[in-house]
């Protein structure tokens, strides 16, 4: 089954605006993780929110998790051109391996 | 800050050739992973490795693929006989605890091009 489907697929905003990306998943999770990706640095971990948490902040990032709706959102406040990247949510499996299942991602473009 | 490194950054090979992709995970980590991303597609899990053996592998990880931790620092992915469809970005990741409980740290990737 698909896990971690993001929407929108692409988002274009002006610098200073807030960017909101959503993620839905299908099975039970113990945490949900957000990553960003650019061609230079590969995948960079942004934030992890555990299933018993509803909201978490890190700098300009705010993540929410609604386990009843099996959804999460990533908010980037006061966006900058340097935030332009692809953003993915990922959910780990419960088993020993703990593989991450990634969504398709949201391509964020922040125009100066 | 410790980081995962991967070499080479770009590998071009002929179909049918063997390739070895190398990764140096973060030194005190115990769980290791390979993922791949075909251009324009999702990042897909290939294999996880713990305690010197494979913990889990995906359907993609067939007999053409193998992983090894030949010494205390390197973690390699070998593709025995490459196919055109193996062209992708390959990411190595490591985690200090069971990867499902904590973040995984990714390397910058190796872009594999099979001609």
């Amino acid at each position: 089954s698909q896990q971690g489907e993001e929407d929108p697929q692409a988002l274009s905003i002006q610098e200073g605006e807030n960017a909101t990306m959503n993620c839905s998943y299908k099975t039970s999770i113990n945490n949900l993780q957000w990553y960003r990706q650019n061609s230079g640095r590969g995948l960079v971990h942004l934030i992890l929110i555990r299933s018993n948490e509803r909201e978490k902040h890190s700098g300009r990032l705010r993540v929410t998790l609604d386990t009843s709706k099996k959804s999460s959102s990533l908010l980037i406040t006061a966006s900058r051109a340097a935030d332009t990247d692809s953003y993915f949510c990922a959910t780990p499996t419960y088993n020993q391996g703990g593989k991450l299942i990634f969504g398709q991602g949201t391509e964020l473009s922040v125009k100066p | 800050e410790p980081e995962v490194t991967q070499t080479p950054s770009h590998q071009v090979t002929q179909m049918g050739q063997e390739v070895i992709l190398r990764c140096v995970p973060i030194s005190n980590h115990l769980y290791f992973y390979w993922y791949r991303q075909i251009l324009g597609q999702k990042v897909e899990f290939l294999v996880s490795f713990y305690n010197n053996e494979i913990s889990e592998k995906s359907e993609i990880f067939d007999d053409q693929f193998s992983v090894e931790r030949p010494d205390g620092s390197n973690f390699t992915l070998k593709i025995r006989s490459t196919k055109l469809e193996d062209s992708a970005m390959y990411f190595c990741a490591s985690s200090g605890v069971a990867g499902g409980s904590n973040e995984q740290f990714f390397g910058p990737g190796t872009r594999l091009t099979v001609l």
Side-chain angles (χ1 to χ4, degrees), chain A residues 2-3 5 30-31 33 35 37 40-43 45 48 50 88 92-93 95-100 102-104, chain B residues 31 33 35 37 40-43 45 48 50 55-56 89 91 98-109:
Chain A
Q2 296 288 334
Q3 282 280 75
E5 297 297 327
N30 61 21
N31 68 71
Q33 304 177 31
Y35 288 80
Q37 181 183 30
R41 292 184 303 152
L43 287 155
H45 184 267
L48 180 154
R50 302 199 185 276
F88 297 87
T93 54
N95 60 9
Q96 176 67 24
K99 69 185 181 193
L100 289 174
F102 284 84
Q104 196 74 29
Chain B
Y31 295 81
Y33 307 83
Y35 294 82
Q37 185 181 33
Q41 297 186 22
K42 292 182 185 187
V43 176
F45 167 79
S48 57
Y50 168 70
S55 306
E56 186 179 2
M89 195 77 168
F91 294 105
S101 304
N102 217 327
E103 64 188 292
Q104 293 179 22
F105 293 84
F106 283 77

Side-chain angles (χ1 to χ4, degrees), chain A residues 22-90:
Chain A
N22 302 297
C23 166
S24 60
Y25 58 92
K26 288 187 167 27
T27 63
S28 296
I29 58 170
N30 61 21
N31 68 71
L32 184 143
Q33 304 177 31
W34 284 90
Y35 288 80
R36 67 183 282 181
Q37 181 183 30
N38 65 36
S39 57
R41 292 184 303 152
L43 287 155
V44 177
H45 184 267
L46 293 174
I47 197 164
L48 180 154
I49 185 165
R50 302 199 185 276
S51 59
N52 61 354
E53 297 175 307
R54 292 294 164 258
E55 191 171 306
K56 199 161 180 180
H57 294 83
S58 176
R60 292 183 298 111
L61 304 181
R62 175 180 164 245
V63 168
T64 62
L65 180 64
D66 187 336
T67 52
S68 66
K69 294 181 181 174
K70 290 188 167 58
S71 68
S72 173
S73 67
L74 170 68
L75 168 68
I76 303 175
T77 59
S79 63
R80 304 167 184 165
D83 295 329
T84 295
D85 256 341
S86 292
Y87 291 80
F88 297 87
C89 67

Side-chain angles (χ1 to χ4, degrees), chain A residues 10-26:
Chain A
L11 180 62
S12 182
I13 58 174
Q14 294 294 129
E15 230 174 6
E17 293 180 342
N18 295 340
T20 300
M21 290 162 266
N22 302 297
C23 166
S24 60
Y25 58 92
K26 288 187 167 27

Side-chain angles (χ1 to χ4, degrees), chain B residues 6-104:
Chain B
Q6 289 185 244
T7 53
S9 57
H10 193 181
Q11 172 96 44
V12 181
T13 190
Q14 294 290 326
M15 193 168 59
Q17 295 295 303
E18 174 182 287
V19 293
I20 297 176
L21 310 182
R22 291 185 165 78
C23 168
V24 179
I26 294 173
S27 63
N28 60 349
H29 281 185
L30 302 173
Y31 295 81
F32 313 110
Y33 307 83
W34 283 101
Y35 294 82
R36 80 170 187 191
Q37 185 181 33
I38 294 170
L39 189 64
Q41 297 186 22
K42 292 182 185 187
V43 176
E44 302 172 287
F45 167 79
L46 291 178
V47 66
S48 57
F49 192 85
Y50 168 70
N51 201 25
N52 283 321
E53 60 183 26
I54 290 174
S55 306
E56 186 179 2
K57 57 185 181 179
S58 71
E59 290 172 356
I60 303 166
F61 195 89
D62 61 22
D63 292 344
Q64 292 300 313
F65 290 86
S66 62
V67 288
E68 203 177 32
R69 190 154 159 81
D71 53 41
S73 59
N74 291 286
F75 180 49
T76 61
L77 174 70
K78 183 194 291 187
I79 309 175
R80 229 164 258 115
S81 177
T82 50
K83 308 189 221 20
L84 294 176
E85 54 265 36
D86 293 329
S87 293
M89 195 77 168
Y90 287 80
F91 294 105
C92 171
S94 70
S95 179
V97 295
S101 304
N102 217 327
E103 64 188 292
Q104 293 179 22

